[in-house]
Coordinates of all heavy atoms in Angstrom, one line a residue:
R1 N -22.1 -13.6 -11.4 CA -21.9 -13.7 -9.9 C -21.2 -12.5 -9.4 O -20.1 -12.1 -9.9 CB -21.1 -14.9 -9.6 CG -20.9 -15.1 -8.1 CD -19.9 -16.3 -7.9 NE -19.6 -16.4 -6.6 CZ -20.1 -17.4 -5.8 NH1 -20.8 -18.3 -6.2 NH2 -19.7 -17.4 -4.5
V2 N -21.7 -11.8 -8.4 CA -21.0 -10.6 -7.8 C -20.1 -11.2 -6.8 O -20.5 -11.9 -5.9 CB -22.0 -9.7 -7.2 CG1 -21.3 -8.6 -6.4 CG2 -22.9 -9.0 -8.3
E3 N -18.8 -11.0 -7.0 CA -17.8 -11.5 -6.1 C -17.5 -10.5 -4.9 O -17.2 -10.9 -3.8 CB -16.4 -11.7 -6.8 CG -16.5 -12.6 -8.0 CD -16.5 -14.1 -7.5 OE1 -16.0 -14.4 -6.4 OE2 -17.1 -14.9 -8.3
R4 N -17.7 -9.2 -5.2 CA -17.4 -8.2 -4.2 C -18.1 -6.9 -4.5 O -18.2 -6.5 -5.7 CB -15.9 -8.0 -4.0 CG -15.5 -7.1 -2.9 CD -14.0 -7.0 -2.8 NE -13.7 -6.1 -1.7 CZ -12.6 -5.3 -1.7 NH1 -11.8 -5.4 -2.7 NH2 -12.4 -4.5 -0.7
L5 N -18.7 -6.3 -3.5 CA -19.3 -5.0 -3.7 C -18.9 -4.1 -2.5 O -19.0 -4.5 -1.4 CB -20.9 -5.2 -3.7 CG -21.7 -3.9 -3.5 CD1 -21.6 -3.0 -4.8 CD2 -23.2 -4.3 -3.3
Y6 N -18.4 -2.9 -2.8 CA -17.9 -2.1 -1.8 C -18.1 -0.6 -2.2 O -18.1 -0.3 -3.3 CB -16.5 -2.4 -1.3 CG -15.4 -2.3 -2.4 CD1 -14.7 -1.1 -2.6 CD2 -15.2 -3.4 -3.2 CE1 -13.7 -1.1 -3.6 CE2 -14.2 -3.3 -4.2 CZ -13.5 -2.1 -4.4 OH -12.5 -2.1 -5.3
K7 N -18.2 0.2 -1.1 CA -18.3 1.7 -1.4 C -16.9 2.3 -1.4 O -16.1 2.0 -0.6 CB -19.2 2.3 -0.2 CG -19.8 3.6 -0.5 CD -20.7 4.0 0.6 CE -21.6 5.1 0.2 NZ -22.5 5.5 1.3
S8 N -16.8 3.2 -2.3 CA -15.5 3.9 -2.5 C -15.8 5.4 -2.7 O -17.0 5.8 -2.6 CB -14.7 3.3 -3.6 OG -13.5 3.9 -3.8
S9 N -14.9 6.2 -3.2 CA -15.1 7.6 -3.5 C -14.7 7.7 -5.0 O -13.7 7.1 -5.5 CB -14.3 8.5 -2.7 OG -14.7 8.5 -1.4
S10 N -15.5 8.6 -5.7 CA -15.1 8.9 -7.1 C -14.1 10.0 -7.1 O -13.7 10.6 -6.1 CB -16.4 9.2 -7.8 OG -17.0 10.4 -7.3
E11 N -13.7 10.4 -8.3 CA -12.7 11.5 -8.5 C -13.2 12.8 -7.9 O -12.5 13.6 -7.4 CB -12.4 11.7 -10.0 CG -11.7 10.5 -10.6 CD -12.7 9.4 -11.0 OE1 -13.8 9.7 -11.5 OE2 -12.4 8.2 -10.9
D12 N -14.6 13.0 -7.9 CA -15.1 14.3 -7.4 C -15.5 14.2 -6.0 O -16.1 15.1 -5.4 CB -16.3 14.7 -8.3 CG -17.4 13.6 -8.3 OD1 -17.3 12.6 -7.6 OD2 -18.3 13.8 -9.1
G13 N -15.1 13.1 -5.3 CA -15.3 13.0 -3.9 C -16.7 12.4 -3.5 O -17.0 12.2 -2.3
L14 N -17.5 12.2 -4.5 CA -18.9 11.6 -4.2 C -18.8 10.1 -4.0 O -17.9 9.5 -4.5 CB -19.8 12.0 -5.3 CG -20.1 13.5 -5.5 CD1 -20.9 13.7 -6.8 CD2 -20.8 14.1 -4.3
P15 N -19.7 9.5 -3.3 CA -19.7 8.1 -3.1 C -19.9 7.3 -4.4 O -20.5 7.8 -5.3 CB -20.9 7.8 -2.2 CG -21.3 9.1 -1.6 CD -20.8 10.2 -2.6
A16 N -19.2 6.2 -4.5 CA -19.3 5.4 -5.7 C -19.3 3.9 -5.2 O -18.7 3.6 -4.1 CB -18.1 5.6 -6.6
W17 N -20.0 3.1 -5.9 CA -20.0 1.6 -5.6 C -19.1 0.9 -6.6 O -19.2 1.1 -7.8 CB -21.4 1.1 -5.7 CG -22.3 1.6 -4.6 CD1 -23.1 2.7 -4.7 CD2 -22.4 1.1 -3.3 NE1 -23.7 2.9 -3.5 CE2 -23.3 1.9 -2.6 CE3 -21.7 0.0 -2.6 CZ2 -23.6 1.7 -1.3 CZ3 -22.1 -0.2 -1.3 CH2 -23.0 0.6 -0.7
I18 N -18.2 0.1 -6.1 CA -17.4 -0.8 -7.0 C -17.9 -2.2 -6.9 O -18.1 -2.8 -5.9 CB -15.9 -0.7 -6.5 CG1 -15.4 0.7 -6.3 CG2 -15.0 -1.5 -7.4 CD1 -15.5 1.6 -7.5
V19 N -18.2 -2.7 -8.1 CA -18.7 -4.1 -8.2 C -17.7 -4.9 -9.0 O -17.3 -4.7 -10.1 CB -20.0 -4.1 -9.0 CG1 -20.6 -5.5 -9.1 CG2 -21.1 -3.2 -8.3
E20 N -17.2 -6.0 -8.3 CA -16.3 -7.0 -8.9 C -17.2 -8.2 -9.2 O -17.8 -8.7 -8.3 CB -15.2 -7.3 -8.0 CG -14.3 -6.1 -7.7 CD -13.2 -6.5 -6.7 OE1 -13.0 -7.6 -6.3 OE2 -12.5 -5.5 -6.3
S21 N -17.2 -8.6 -10.5 CA -18.1 -9.7 -10.8 C -17.4 -10.7 -11.7 O -16.3 -10.4 -12.2 CB -19.4 -9.2 -11.5 OG -19.0 -8.5 -12.7
R22 N -18.1 -11.8 -11.9 CA -17.5 -12.9 -12.8 C -18.7 -13.4 -13.6 O -19.7 -13.8 -13.0 CB -16.8 -13.9 -12.0 CG -16.1 -14.9 -12.8 CD -15.2 -15.8 -11.8 NE -14.1 -15.0 -11.2 CZ -13.0 -14.7 -11.7 NH1 -12.7 -15.0 -13.0 NH2 -12.1 -14.0 -11.0
G23 N -18.6 -13.5 -14.9 CA -19.7 -14.1 -15.7 C -19.3 -14.4 -17.1 O -18.1 -14.4 -17.4
G24 N -20.3 -14.7 -17.9 CA -20.1 -15.1 -19.2 C -19.7 -16.6 -19.3 O -19.6 -17.3 -18.3
A25 N -19.6 -17.1 -20.5 CA -19.3 -18.5 -20.7 C -17.9 -18.9 -20.1 O -17.8 -20.0 -19.7 CB -19.3 -18.8 -22.2
Q26 N -17.0 -18.0 -20.1 CA -15.6 -18.3 -19.6 C -15.4 -17.8 -18.2 O -14.3 -18.0 -17.7 CB -14.6 -17.6 -20.5 CG -14.8 -17.8 -22.0 CD -14.7 -19.3 -22.4 OE1 -13.8 -19.6 -22.8 NE2 -15.6 -20.1 -22.4
G27 N -16.4 -17.2 -17.6 CA -16.3 -16.7 -16.2 C -15.3 -15.6 -16.1 O -14.6 -15.5 -15.1

């Protein structure tokens, strides 16, 4: 399950997507 998805910047200043998720047998 994707809990959160947002756009950020990487170390080199280029756009990056951060995905916070929860999964697996233990969540």
Side-chain angles (χ1 to χ4, degrees):
R1 178 187 176 107
V2 174
E3 300 284 334
R4 185 172 180 217
L5 167 67
Y6 57 95
K7 199 172 192 178
S8 183
S9 293
S10 63
E11 297 81 35
D12 55 8
L14 296 174
W17 291 96
I18 308 302
V19 180
E20 298 176 6
S21 61
R22 189 169 295 279
Q26 315 293 266

